[in-house]
Each structure stands twice: as structure tokens, then as C-alpha cells.
Amino acid sequence: MKIELQGEEREVKSLGSVSLDGTPLNHIMVMSTVVTVLNFIPFSITIGAGGIFPLSQGIFPLLGWILGPFGGAVASGIGTLMGVFLAPHTAGIPPISIFGAIITSFAAGTMTLGKHRRYWWIGVAIFFIIALFLYVFRALNNGVPISIIIKGSLIDWSGLLFFILPTRTLFAKWIHSKNLYLVSLGLFFGSWTISGIYHLSQVFITYTIFNWPEKVWIFLIPIMPLENLVRSLVGTFIGVRVIYGLRAIGIIKPQAAIY
């Protein structure tokens, strides 16, 4: 006797045995490894206090968008920490580099679409508003003209402004879109936004330490936007391929991911 069982087809997907805030730890470890590898590739020698800085900075926002605020922060932090030991030529000031990586991916992860954690961005924005105030206030006390400060901190205040305005949600919607053209736009402008406040997260500390003169401010005016452009292009180039691949293989998304 042959018995046929019919019913609705079901798909079973595993989140993995262990997760952090809904993000499987294996996802976090894979992306932290990517950060570590990119730490070997330098792209800049001028940010903040000077030194050689790694290409991994370009994907810190991406990790927040695909892993969520906590998963992205942990992946960026672990990857940057490993880079300190394995690629010290791009480590900068290690504690500041690690702090910047963690808070940057966390900030990107707060760019949510639904009601879940929709107010988390406010706390992040307040932190960076205070950081920008301290940065500008110190420059004014050092006699730097306000016009030079505005030009020299373009990537900082523009990134913060995009983060505070509804553009934050617009960029997230584009990243979530099925249209890869919109995904690319979301990744580019979202990366410009988060990379700008990434720079701010470090520069308000390094400026306190090194206190560079007005001549350095003027020298960096055309260079800072170029560096942020490179970060944004890297985030877009890698991000489109990562998101397309994740969608194609049908792997389950972390709970806080927006792609």
C-alpha cells in the first residue's frame, strides 16, 4: 500500500546555535574577519592626527546595516582589535580606532525602518552633537576662524545633519529596496553619513591630544571630503555585492538588519 502525504511546503532555516541580539555569532565572526583583512590595505595618511588608515573604514556602516547595531559593533570592534595586532601599520591610535569602529557600526544599526528601536538614533545623535560642539569650541579657543572650521569639518557636520534629518530613514529605505540602483544610492549616501560621524567620533578626541594649528586645518579642507568619498565608494562597491549575495542565497537576515 502506497500512502502519499500532502500539505503545505515548509522551509526551515537555522539561525545558528548562538546569537547576539538576533544576529548569529557565525555571521559576526565572518564579518569581523573581513574587517581584519581590510585592515592590511591602507588608503589614507592624513585623517585626524596623521598615520596610515585602513580600507576597513569603508565597511563599518555596512556591518551595522546587515548585522544590526550590536552585531555590527561587535564585528567592527573585534576586526579592528585583531588589526591592531596583525596590521599595526594601519592601527592609528588603537583605543581610539576601536572606539570609532564600534560606535560607527552601532550608529548605522540605529537607522531602522520599523517601529522597533525607532528612537535609538536620538541618543546617538545627542552624543555626536556634543562631540561636534567640543571639537568646534576647542578650535575657536585656538583662534581658528569660523569659516575655516566650517570648511574643515564639512564631513563631520554634513554627516551628522544627514543622520538627524529624515534622510536617515530615506537612505535606509533605499538600502532595503529591491532595486539595486536605489540600493547603491542608499549605500553611498548612507556611507557618507555614517563615515562622517565616524570621523567625528575620533577627531574630537585626537584634536584634544594633538591640537593641530590653523595651517593644518587649511591643508585638510580639500583632503577630508576626498577621504570620505573613498570610504563611501568602498562601502557602496562592497555593500552592493554583499547584499545581492545575501539575498541570492536566501540566508536568514538578523532581526535588526535593514537590507
Side-chain angles (χ1 to χ4, degrees), residues 125-220:
I126 291 173
F127 170 82
F128 283 109
I129 289 172
I130 294 173
L132 182 61
F133 172 80
L134 294 175
Y135 184 36
V136 171
F137 183 75
R138 186 172 186 84
L140 289 172
N141 281 345
N142 288 338
V144 182
I146 187 63
S147 60
I148 299 298
I149 296 174
I150 292 173
K151 296 174 184 177
S153 61
L154 169 65
I155 65 173
D156 306 296
W157 60 259
S158 66
L160 182 56
L161 189 63
F162 281 141
F163 186 78
I164 293 174
L165 293 175
T167 45
R168 177 191 68 261
T169 304
L170 176 63
F171 300 155
K173 288 180 179 178
W174 285 349
I175 294 171
H176 183 71
S177 171
K178 300 300 181 182
N179 185 323
L180 288 182
Y181 175 73
L182 289 179
V183 173
S184 299
L185 287 178
L187 287 170
F188 178 81
F189 288 107
S191 293
W192 176 277
T193 298
I194 300 300
S195 294
I197 60 179
Y198 163 74
H199 178 264
L200 179 58
S201 73
Q202 298 189 93
V203 76
F204 89 96
I205 302 175
T206 55
Y207 187 45
T208 302
I209 299 173
F210 295 98
N211 213 37
W212 49 84
E214 180 183 338
K215 290 182 179 180
V216 175
W217 276 85
I218 296 173
F219 172 75
L220 294 177

Side-chain angles (χ1 to χ4, degrees), residues 14-61:
S14 174
L15 275 174
S17 58
V18 183
S19 65
L20 172 65
D21 191 41
T23 303
L25 289 187
N26 56 345
H27 289 38
I28 294 174
M29 298 312 298
V30 168
M31 296 312 299
S32 67
T33 302
V34 174
V35 172
T36 301
V37 171
L38 291 179
N39 268 291
F40 285 89
I41 308 174
F43 85 91
S44 168
I45 60 171
T46 62
I47 300 178
I52 300 176
F53 295 85
L55 208 60
S56 59
Q57 293 178 354
I59 68 166
F60 291 155

